[in-house]
């Protein structure tokens, strides 16, 4: 179950990296919320899972309402992005399975993979909708990574990440501000 | 009683820096620069202090990183001259690096993993503050609140304190590597910040580089991991907040009008910025050199040589204040007096910071 969730989280991050349209970005966020919810359960129980799911769902719905129209999946010139998502997935899988040990292998795979991919998206994107989606994804990944801590992180990181994900997706950056 | 994970506690160093930030904001808001509204200054100052307090007081490093992410987005979303992407890029890189560092620090694996964690944490701190090689894009004509300056002055110090104070638990086996990288990054910024501050054509950019040079000293101090180093770093951060930031804000109008001056007042300001005795910078430098000598004396030699580079850019920055009159002259006078007071008797500040 958690293995599938971790793989889905990487897939969701890949969709966000490979999409420029609002539907693609929203799909990525929705998938990420569904994937991170069971991983958040490991660190913070059902309240954490609920917070992540709710925050991600609100963020995905908000994302559907702004940004470039359509899916925008793999537009022309996105070969480098495709290579990036595959390389990040392979590297994260190698670190989680071969290099590291201990509990929560699924978080060890999903958290660095998603953080890395969202960071790369933020560094390369210019469109505010893509940037805000990457911020939302990054926040959810950071909260999920809190489950790796030796002490139980409590509900706080999950709730804060959910608020950030929902908040940044509702934030509108006007064209005048972008200029 | 707070629910699990929501408890807030302010460590002494964070508390001291927040008090310094409150004093700095009060000073600038009470004696605002020409053509800047007091309400605007006060609003942005309060936002910065709230952000600092949140980062410094949260119970876990994850929450500190998440708060920094929220601050980055909110600052980038405010109207500014640079593009939204340009404003978000560097802080987002910092958040990503810090998060990766924390993940690597927490998972079990070979010793090299702890060193990678230390690399990511130090790189993340550099990116958050905006030091070399992660200098934030700077537009000299942009207003200060939406420029990279708040990261150098308010958010950066809080984040550095949050990470450095937890370094022992995050990377216990790579503590030496963590400290060595901070010192290396610090030395790089001492040299680059001073030389660039002297050589750049734009006056506002010169101030920006001078913040980086000061940060070089602070990073060296934090990296030394001895009492004197920590004390020096805290005093440098106090200097950034109480002296360099107000002087930068008061110099903006003179810079726009290209009014340079060599009056004694300007020379005094230059001496303060250069860390001459009896100003606070001098006490910080003495403590830093003492700490470096304690750890490895050739390091003190290198830092000492680096300190000489401060003189020329400080004279330039002092001249860029123009001829302060009225409330600005009073403000510069208060900043000078505060610096002398801290330089002559730094003990209350250090005690406040738990050092």
């Amino acid at each position: 179950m958690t293995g599938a969730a971790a793989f889905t989280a990487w897939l969701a991050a890949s969709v966000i990296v490979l999409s420029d349209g609002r539907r693609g970005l929203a799909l990525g966020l929705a998938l990420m919320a569904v994937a991170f919810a069971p991983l958040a359960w490991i660190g913070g129980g059902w309240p954490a899972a609920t917070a992540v799911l709710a925050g991600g769902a609100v963020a995905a719905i908000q994302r559907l309402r702004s940004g470039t129209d359509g899916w925008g999946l793999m537009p022309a010139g996105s070969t480098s992005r495709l290579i990036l998502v595959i390389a990040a997935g392979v590297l994260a899988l190698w670190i989680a399975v071969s290099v590291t040990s201990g509990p929560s292998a699924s978080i060890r795979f999903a958290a660095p993979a998603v953080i890395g991919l969202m960071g790369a998206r933020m560094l390369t994107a210019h469109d505010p909708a893509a940037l805000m989606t990457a911020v939302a994804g990054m926040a959810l990944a950071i909260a999920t990574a809190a489950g790796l801590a030796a002490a139980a992180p409590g509900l706080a990181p999950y709730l804060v990440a959910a608020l950030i994900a929902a908040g940044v997706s509702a934030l509108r950056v006007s064209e005048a501000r972008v200029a | 009683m707070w629910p699990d994970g929501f408890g807030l506690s302010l460590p002494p160093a964070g508390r001291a820096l927040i008090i310094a930030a409150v004093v700095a904001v009060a000073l600038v808001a009470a004696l605002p620069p020409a053509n800047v509204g007091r309400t605007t200054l006060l609003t942005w100052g309060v936002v910065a202090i709230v952000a600092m307090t949140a980062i410094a007081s949260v119970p876990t490093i994850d929450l500190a990183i998440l708060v920094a992410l929220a601050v980055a987005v909110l600052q980038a979303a405010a109207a500014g001259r640079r593009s939204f992407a340009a404003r978000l890029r560097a802080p987002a890189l910092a958040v990503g690096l810090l998060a990766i560092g924390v993940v690597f620090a927490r998972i079990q694996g070979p010793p090299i993993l702890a060193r990678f964690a230390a690399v990511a944490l130090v790189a993340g701190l550099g990116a958050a503050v905006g030091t070399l090689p992660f200098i934030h894009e700077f537009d000299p004509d942009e207003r200060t609140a939406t420029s990279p300056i708040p990261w150098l002055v308010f958010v950066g110090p809080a984040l550095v304190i949050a990470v450095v104070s937890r370094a022992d638990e995050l990377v216990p086996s790579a503590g030496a590597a963590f400290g060595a990288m901070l010192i290396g990054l610090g030395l790089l910024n001492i040299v680059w910040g001073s030389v660039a501050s002297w050589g750049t054509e734009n006056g506002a950019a010169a101030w920006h580089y001078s913040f980086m040079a000061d940060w070089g000293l602070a990073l060296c101090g934090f990296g030394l991991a001895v009492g004197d180093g920590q004390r020096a770093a805290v005093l440098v951060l106090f200097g950034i907040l109480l002296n360099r930031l107000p002087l930068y804000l008061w110099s903006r109008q003179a810079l726009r009008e290209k009014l340079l001056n060599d009056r004694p007042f300007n020379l005094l300001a230059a001496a303060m910025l250069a860390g001459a005795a009896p100003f606070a910078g001098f006490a910080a430098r003495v403590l830093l050199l003492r700490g470096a000598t304690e750890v490895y004396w050739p390091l003190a030699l290198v830092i000492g040589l680096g300190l000489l580079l401060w003189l020329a850019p400080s004279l330039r920055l002092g001249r860029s204040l123009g001829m302060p009159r009225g409330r600005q002259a009073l403000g510069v006078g208060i900043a000078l007096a505060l610096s002398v007071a801290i330089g002559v008797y730094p003990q209350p500040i250090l005690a406040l910071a738990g050092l």
Side-chain angles (χ1 to χ4, degrees), chain A residues 99-101 122-123 156 164 177, chain B residues 5 66 77 87 89 92 108 110:
Chain A
V99 178
T100 61
S101 56
M122 280 192 259
L123 290 180
I164 291 173
R177 285 173 175 172
Chain B
L66 282 170
R87 272 176 283 151
R89 202 166 284 145
Q108 299 166 20

Side-chain angles (χ1 to χ4, degrees), chain A residues 93-119:
Chain A
L93 189 65
W94 175 64
I95 289 172
V97 176
S98 296
V99 178
T100 61
S101 56
S104 310
S106 47
I107 300 180
R108 292 205 309 268
F109 165 72
V114 175
I115 290 169
L117 286 173
M118 293 301 95

Side-chain angles (χ1 to χ4, degrees), chain B residues 233-300:
Chain B
V234 166
L235 285 182
V236 170
L237 294 182
F238 260 76
I240 289 175
L241 275 161
L242 294 175
N243 306 139
R244 200 167 291 271
L245 173 69
L247 259 56
Y248 167 68
L249 293 172
W250 287 319
S251 73
R252 299 273 290 173
Q253 189 61 28
L255 283 168
R256 279 189 209 105
E257 294 168 2
K258 300 194 185 320
L259 297 173
L260 303 177
N261 214 307
D262 284 323
R263 286 156 46 117
F265 209 51
N266 301 78
L267 293 176
L268 268 176
M272 179 178 76
L273 295 170
F279 296 105
F282 184 72
R285 283 158 176 78
V286 169
L287 285 168
L288 186 66
L289 289 173
R290 205 164 70 179
T293 308
E294 191 182 327
V295 174
Y296 182 58
W297 71 263
L299 178 63

Side-chain angles (χ1 to χ4, degrees), chain A:
Chain A
M1 169 77 174
T2 54
F7 176 76
T8 310
W10 167 78
L11 191 67
S14 303
V15 171
I16 291 172
V17 170
L18 292 170
S19 298
D20 285 340
R22 64 170 78 167
R23 287 185 185 176
L25 295 171
L27 173 68
L29 268 181
L31 270 177
M32 197 173 283
V34 170
F36 274 144
L39 299 181
W41 196 305
I42 298 171
W46 69 264
T50 309
V52 167
L53 193 61
V58 171
I61 292 165
Q62 290 287 350
R63 181 50 53 224
L64 267 178
R65 297 166 65 182
S66 69
T68 313
D69 283 335
W71 292 93
L73 266 170
M74 288 191 67
S78 55
T79 311
S80 55
R81 293 195 231 172
L82 186 64
I83 294 169
L84 172 73
V85 297
I86 294 169
V90 171
L91 182 66
L93 189 65
W94 175 64
I95 289 172
V97 176
S98 296
V99 178
T100 61
S101 56
S104 310
S106 47
I107 300 180
R108 292 205 309 268
F109 165 72
V114 175
I115 290 169
L117 286 173
M118 293 301 95
R121 188 71 172 123
M122 280 192 259
L123 290 180
T124 54
H126 295 281
D127 174 32
L131 283 161
M132 292 302 200
T133 307
V135 168
M138 172 85 85
L140 294 178
I142 292 171
T144 306
L148 291 167
L155 181 60
Y158 304 101
L159 198 58
V160 171
L163 288 173
I164 291 173
V168 298
S169 299
L171 204 61
R172 295 286 175 269
V173 180
S174 69
E175 287 305 311
R177 285 173 175 172
V178 175

